[in-house]
Amino acid sequence: MTSNTLATPVARPRRATIAIAVAIAGIGYLAAWVIGLSVWPTNPAVTATGPEVLAGLAGHTGAAITQYVATQGIAGLALAVVVAGRLRRPARLTGYAAVAVSLVQCALGVQLAAYLAPAHQVAAAHSAFALLNRLDGVKMLLLAATALLASAPAVRSRSANWIDWTGLALAAAITASGIGYLLLSTALAPAAYVSGVLLLLWVTATAVTSRRM
């Protein structure tokens, strides 16, 4: 009786602290993407050749590095906090896998923008850029699985709210864009414009809610 009585007041502030940290991470995820896309709003097409990749990065080294660090590095770490604080297994597992891919993309993107492109290593830059896009496809498919696994149980139990339905819409849209990036297809890759908005909305909303998914 005594231990339970003492544990409750301690547990509540801890849960509140975790909830605040997760909410901040969700807002940070959104901010990182907004900043990253603002500093360098245009990127070479997924089918860009080596010379086109170098031309696209020419004069944008700092902006490209900032974008990769913000959208893949900082956003990846923020997503890890949201996944840890809001998702249950197995959605947590696929979420962590997406975070790992994102951090690899950050390192590879910085190498491309800071070293390969300025050194005019055409073949290496092309290979790195293609790998970045394919990894983006893998990450998108992992995020699709994460959103589906997190949202589907509530839909099946008829307790879904708008966040769950957004998660299902995200799973469908980001699967299409993920396949496009994985195959370097200009036909499907533009679906990222829709899935990107849904992803930012879903992650941020999931972070600020108190419900585990």
Side-chain angles (χ1 to χ4, degrees), residues 57-84:
L57 287 167
H60 301 288
T61 300
I65 292 173
T66 300
Q67 185 182 86
Y68 285 124
V69 170
T71 62
Q72 307 302 340
I74 296 174
L77 295 175
L79 180 60
V81 176
V82 176
V83 168

Side-chain angles (χ1 to χ4, degrees), residues 19 30-31 40 50 60-61 109 114 122 142 146 149 155 158 183 211:
L30 173 62
W40 193 30
H60 301 288
T61 300
V122 180
L142 288 169
T146 302
L149 291 168
V155 174
R158 298 184 180 181
L183 300 179
R211 181 170 65 99

Side-chain angles (χ1 to χ4, degrees), residues 12-24 81 84-86 207 212:
R12 286 177 181 171
R14 182 174 180 273
R15 287 196 295 268
T17 301
I18 292 174
I20 292 171
V22 173
I24 291 173
V81 176
R86 287 289 177 262
R212 291 179 68 86

Side-chain angles (χ1 to χ4, degrees), residues 37 41-43 140 173 177 181 188-199:
L37 295 178
T42 58
N43 284 293
M140 289 179 191
S177 59
Y181 272 79
L188 291 174
Y193 292 109
V194 175
S195 62
V197 173
L198 290 173
L199 175 63

Side-chain angles (χ1 to χ4, degrees), residues 126-151:
H126 179 255
S127 296
F129 185 72
L131 180 57
L132 271 168
N133 285 316
R134 293 188 190 279
L135 286 173
D136 227 357
V138 173
K139 182 180 67 180
M140 289 179 191
L141 294 177
L142 288 169
L143 289 170
T146 302
L148 181 62
L149 291 168
S151 303

Side-chain angles (χ1 to χ4, degrees), residues 6-7 21 31 33 44 46 66 76 80 127 137-138 168 171 179 183 196:
L6 292 175
W33 271 99
V46 293
T66 300
S127 296
V138 173
L168 293 184
I179 293 172
L183 300 179

Side-chain angles (χ1 to χ4, degrees), residues 38-110:
S38 297
V39 297
W40 193 30
T42 58
N43 284 293
V46 293
T47 55
T49 63
E52 288 171 341
V53 171
L54 295 187
L57 287 167
H60 301 288
T61 300
I65 292 173
T66 300
Q67 185 182 86
Y68 285 124
V69 170
T71 62
Q72 307 302 340
I74 296 174
L77 295 175
L79 180 60
V81 176
V82 176
V83 168
R86 287 289 177 262
L87 302 186
R88 297 188 178 98
R89 288 189 177 185
R92 186 183 295 178
L93 299 179
T94 55
Y96 283 146
V99 169
V101 173
S102 185
L103 296 178
V104 171
Q105 285 182 281
C106 177
L108 183 59
V110 170

